[in-house]
Amino acid sequence: MADIFADSEAHLFEALSNSSDSAYFFVSNMKKNVALWSNPAQEFFGLKDKRIENIREFWANRVHPDDQDKFNSYFDSVLLAHAHHHNLEYRVLTAEGKYEWVLCSSYIYYDDQGVPDHAAGFVTPLGYRNKIDPASNLRTIHEFRDNLNKRLLKNDRGSILMFDLINFKKVIDDYGYSFGDQFLYTMGVLLKQELDKEDSLFRMQGSNFAVIIKSCKKIDVQSRYETIKKVLGCVTVDGIEIDQDFVCAATIFPSDGVDVDRLQQNLYYGIDYAKAYSLKDLVYYTDDLYLQKARISQLREAIKKSIHNNFAGFELYFQPIINTDKRSCDSAEALLRFSTPELGMVSPADFIPLLEKTKDIVFVGAWVLDKALEALEKWKKINPNFKQIHINVSSIQFRESGFKDYVFDSLNKHHLNGSDLVLELTESCRVKSTQEFSKLFSEFQNAGVKMALDDFGTGYASMIVLCDIPVDILKIDYQLTQNFVKFPQHRAILKLVVDLCKNGNIHLCAEGVETKESLDLMQNAGADLIQGYFFSKPLSFDEFQKKFIEKSE
C-alpha cells in the first residue's frame, strides 16, 4: 500500500472500505498506475486481489463494448481537462458474469504541473438507488429502464418521448436551487395532470425527462409533444411564471429497437441533434441520426488521438488579406484544417463545434497560435513588409486563466511584437458576455495586439456589439458581402457600416470577395482590407509562401 498512501493512512482506507456494502471505495496512484479496492468491491466485481495495476487497461476489458467510447473519453478528460470532480455511468462485468450499470464518482488530485497524481472515489451499483427522484417526485431513470424492459419482454408496442430543459440552469442561477426543485415538482404535477393516465413519466438524468406511451401512432406522439409544450410554456412557482424552452425527441418500439439500451441511445441521438441545430419541433429518431452520431464519436476519438500524437492530422492553411491602398498582401488569416485516413478531410463546421464542446479547443488553440506565429516569424525574415497574422479565438480560450500570458509568451518566443498579431473574436466570444472579456481585450490592445470582430452581419454580430467590444478591425461576413452585390437596396446598410468604421477609427475588412464586381463594390465603398477567392483560396504554408511571401520580396 505504501506506493499509494502512507502506512499511517492504511486504517483510513480500511474504515472507508467497510463503511458501506452498496458503494465500493477505491484509491489510486495515477502516476504509478495502481489502485486499491475495498473488500466489498472485490466480491462484487470478482477481483482476485484488492490491488490492481494498469488501471485503464484492466477496466477497459470489463466495461460493456457499447460504453467503451465514453469510458475512454472519461479517462481522457481526467488526463486533459484538469477538473477535480468526475462522474460517469457505465455498464461493467460483475462477479456473476453479468453487465450491471454503475455510477463512478471520483475526485482527482493534480500535482503542481497539472499531472494527475492521486484519485479516490466510490462506485455505486445503480440498483441501490431510490426509485423516486426527490426533487421532481417522478420515477427515476432506473425505473424507466425497468419499466421499458418489462414492456419489451411482453412484446408491447409503444413510443417514448424524451425532452430536455434548455435553460433550466438559468432558472437556478436566477432563483436558486430550492426554487429549481419547486419548479421541477410543479412541472411534474402539471404533466401528470395533462398527460394520459396510462402514460408513464420519468426524470432521467439532469434536465432530461421521458414519457412512455402505449401508442405507436405519430398523431398520438405529436399530441403528447403538444401537451409537454403547453405545460412548459407556463409553470408558475411562488407567483413567478417560467416559460421553459426545451428540445424533444421520440423513438418507436419495437421498430426502432428491441432493447432498452438501443432505445435510450436513440433518444439521446435525437436530443443531441435537436440541440445542435436549435430545433424547436419534435425530432423522430432515424437511422441517419445514428450514423451521424457514430461519425461524431469517430471524429471525437480521432481528435483525441491527434492531440496525444502531437496534433497529427491538424494543419494550418492561410488566406491572404489584401490592403486596398497598396493592392498588396501584408497579412493573412490562419485557418485550421483537420483530416484522417479514415475520415478524409473534415469540415471545420463539424470539428470546430466538437472542439469547443469537449474544450479541446484549449489545447488545439494553443497549437494554432504557436504554429501561426512560427509561420509569421519565418515570413518576416523573408519579406519584412509582411506584417500580421490573424487567428480565431473562442470564449473558452479567453476564459483560460493563463491565456493572456500564453499569448505574450508565444510572441516573445517567436521574436514578434503585439502589433504583429490580430485576434479574431468568434461567435462564442460575442454571445457569452462581452463585458466579461472587456478588460482582457483592453490589456491585449494596450500591448499592441489588434482585435477583430469576425463575421459581422450574422448571429449576434450587430452594431450594438461594437458598443461593448473595442475592436480595431470589423470583418463583414461572406453572405453579407454577397447580398450587397446581389441586392442594391442593401447597400444603404453598407454605407452605414463604412461610416461607423470611419467615425470609430475601425478598419473595415470585406470577406467573401469572389468577383471583380464585388471587389469594385467593396473597394469603392471604402473597405480597407479585402479577403476572398478573387485573390486566393486558403493555401498551405508552402503554397502561401511561394505565392505571397517570396513573390513580394
Side-chain angles (χ1 to χ4, degrees), residues 348-508:
D350 291 332
F351 73 80
I352 294 293
L354 192 56
L355 286 174
E356 293 191 329
K357 183 177 181 180
T358 60
K359 296 189 178 180
D360 286 334
I361 191 68
V362 173
F363 310 107
V364 177
W367 178 86
V368 168
L369 178 67
D370 182 65
K371 291 300 178 182
L373 294 181
E374 179 183 299
L376 181 60
E377 180 185 17
K378 293 178 180 178
W379 290 339
K380 275 181 167 289
K381 291 177 181 178
I382 299 172
N383 181 3
N385 293 323
F386 194 82
K387 63 180 185 178
Q388 283 179 332
I389 198 77
H390 290 230
I391 299 172
N392 290 286
V393 182
S394 79
S395 63
I396 296 171
Q397 292 170 270
F398 270 107
R399 284 198 173 90
E400 283 293 301
S401 58
F403 177 68
K404 180 186 69 174
D405 292 337
Y406 182 79
V407 170
F408 291 145
D409 289 345
S410 297
L411 287 167
N412 291 332
K413 172 185 175 182
H414 295 290
H415 309 99
L416 297 170
N417 299 316
S419 58
D420 297 325
L421 175 63
V422 178
L423 298 178
E424 295 196 4
L425 313 180
T426 64
E427 179 76 6
S428 61
C429 288
R430 302 191 294 266
V431 174
K432 299 294 182 183
S433 173
T434 54
Q435 293 181 351
E436 179 182 354
F437 303 126
S438 59
K439 180 182 178 182
L440 188 55
F441 293 162
S442 298
E443 290 176 340
F444 277 129
Q445 288 176 314
N446 291 337
V449 177
K450 304 300 180 184
M451 308 298 291
L453 180 61
D454 196 17
D455 296 332
F456 184 82
T458 65
Y460 288 82
S462 66
M463 292 186 182
I464 300 299
V465 177
L466 295 177
C467 299
D468 299 321
I469 300 179
V471 298
D472 303 288
I473 301 171
L474 185 67
K475 301 189 76 174
I476 294 180
D477 173 64
Y478 164 87
Q479 190 58 56
L480 196 57
T481 297
Q482 301 302 310
N483 288 345
F484 289 150
V485 175
K486 294 178 182 178
F487 308 109
Q489 63 269 29
H490 289 184
R491 295 174 190 173
I493 300 174
L494 175 59
K495 186 177 185 307
L496 286 174
V497 175
V498 171
D499 290 342
L500 176 67
C501 289
K502 286 181 179 179
N503 294 332
N505 196 27
I506 299 171
H507 292 290
L508 182 64

Side-chain angles (χ1 to χ4, degrees), residues 295 298-299 302 305-306 309 312-314 338-346:
R295 176 177 166 79
Q298 188 180 8
L299 177 56
K305 183 178 178 180
S306 169
N309 194 25
F314 283 105
F338 182 64
S339 64
T340 72
E342 298 79 16
L343 298 173
M345 184 64 73
V346 182

Side-chain angles (χ1 to χ4, degrees), residues 17 178 189 210 240 292 299 317 331 334 346 349 375 435 439 466 481 522 529:
S17 296
S178 178
V189 171
I240 300 173
Q292 184 183 60
L299 177 56
Y317 273 56
S331 62
V346 182
Q435 293 181 351
K439 180 182 178 182
L466 295 177
T481 297
M522 301 309 293
L529 304 168

Side-chain angles (χ1 to χ4, degrees), residues 103-364:
L103 170 66
C104 179
S105 300
S106 59
Y107 188 91
I108 312 298
Y109 297 84
Y110 295 85
D111 65 19
D112 294 339
Q113 284 72 47
V115 177
D117 193 344
H118 282 71
F122 289 89
V123 170
T124 306
L126 296 182
Y128 285 98
R129 287 192 166 182
N130 294 331
K131 295 185 176 183
I132 301 296
D133 172 59
S136 64
N137 200 36
L138 300 176
R139 286 180 286 175
T140 63
I141 182 174
H142 316 295
E143 286 292 288
F144 164 84
R145 293 176 59 83
D146 185 59
N147 183 293
L148 180 58
N149 187 55
K150 289 177 180 177
R151 294 175 190 244
L152 294 171
L153 290 175
K154 293 189 297 181
N155 296 317
D156 286 351
R157 299 171 60 83
S159 307
I160 315 167
L161 295 89
M162 178 185 284
F163 61 95
D164 185 68
L165 309 180
I166 296 299
N167 56 346
F168 180 62
K169 183 178 182 301
K170 187 176 185 304
V171 173
I172 294 176
D173 291 342
D174 290 347
Y175 301 105
Y177 282 97
S178 178
F179 184 94
D181 287 348
Q182 292 180 59
F183 172 88
L184 294 179
Y185 179 83
T186 304
M187 179 194 74
V189 171
L190 294 174
L191 283 171
K192 284 189 282 189
Q193 290 175 351
E194 296 293 330
L195 290 168
D196 193 276
K197 290 184 179 180
E198 293 188 330
D199 296 344
S200 299
L201 179 62
F202 306 86
R203 183 178 185 182
M204 304 295 277
Q205 294 171 308
S207 56
N208 282 340
F209 298 80
V211 181
I212 303 178
I213 68 175
K214 290 187 174 181
S215 174
C216 294
K217 297 179 181 179
K218 286 195 172 182
I219 188 171
D220 293 326
V221 177
Q222 187 67 33
S223 173
R224 301 310 194 279
Y225 169 75
E226 296 298 335
T227 298
I228 295 169
K229 185 177 180 180
K230 172 187 173 184
V231 170
L232 294 182
C234 183
V235 177
T236 303
V237 179
D238 292 340
I240 300 173
E241 295 183 355
I242 303 295
D243 181 357
Q244 180 68 57
D245 289 336
F246 71 102
V247 292
C248 190
T251 190
I252 312 297
F253 62 87
S255 58
D256 290 341
V258 293
D259 65 87
V260 174
D261 292 336
R262 177 58 190 270
L263 291 168
Q264 193 172 334
Q265 281 185 331
N266 293 351
L267 293 165
Y268 284 120
Y269 292 156
I271 289 292
D272 288 346
Y273 182 82
K275 286 182 178 179
Y277 295 96
S278 301
L279 301 178
K280 298 297 184 182
D281 295 327
L282 177 62
V283 174
Y284 284 92
Y285 169 81
T286 65
D287 288 340
D288 287 341
L289 289 182
Y290 173 79
L291 293 174
Q292 184 183 60
K293 185 70 175 181
R295 176 177 166 79
I296 291 174
S297 297
Q298 188 180 8
L299 177 56
R300 182 184 291 110
E301 289 306 310
I303 289 173
K304 292 288 186 185
K305 183 178 178 180
S306 169
I307 293 174
H308 285 298
N309 194 25
N310 199 28
F311 301 95
F314 283 105
E315 184 179 4
L316 287 188
Y317 273 56
F318 302 87
Q319 188 169 34
I321 299 174
I322 308 301
N323 187 309
T324 54
D325 287 338
K326 303 175 183 178
R327 290 300 292 269
S328 64
C329 171
D330 56 13
S331 62
E333 180 178 356
L335 299 166
L336 186 61
R337 298 292 184 261
F338 182 64
S339 64
T340 72
E342 298 79 16
L343 298 173
M345 184 64 73
V346 182
S347 168
D350 291 332
F351 73 80
I352 294 293
L354 192 56
L355 286 174
E356 293 191 329
K357 183 177 181 180
T358 60
K359 296 189 178 180
D360 286 334
I361 191 68
V362 173
F363 310 107
V364 177

Side-chain angles (χ1 to χ4, degrees), residues 91-111:
R91 287 160 292 183
V92 65
L93 197 63
T94 67
E96 297 178 357
K98 299 179 181 179
Y99 285 103
E100 182 164 338
W101 281 94
V102 297
L103 170 66
C104 179
S105 300
S106 59
Y107 188 91
I108 312 298
Y109 297 84
Y110 295 85
D111 65 19

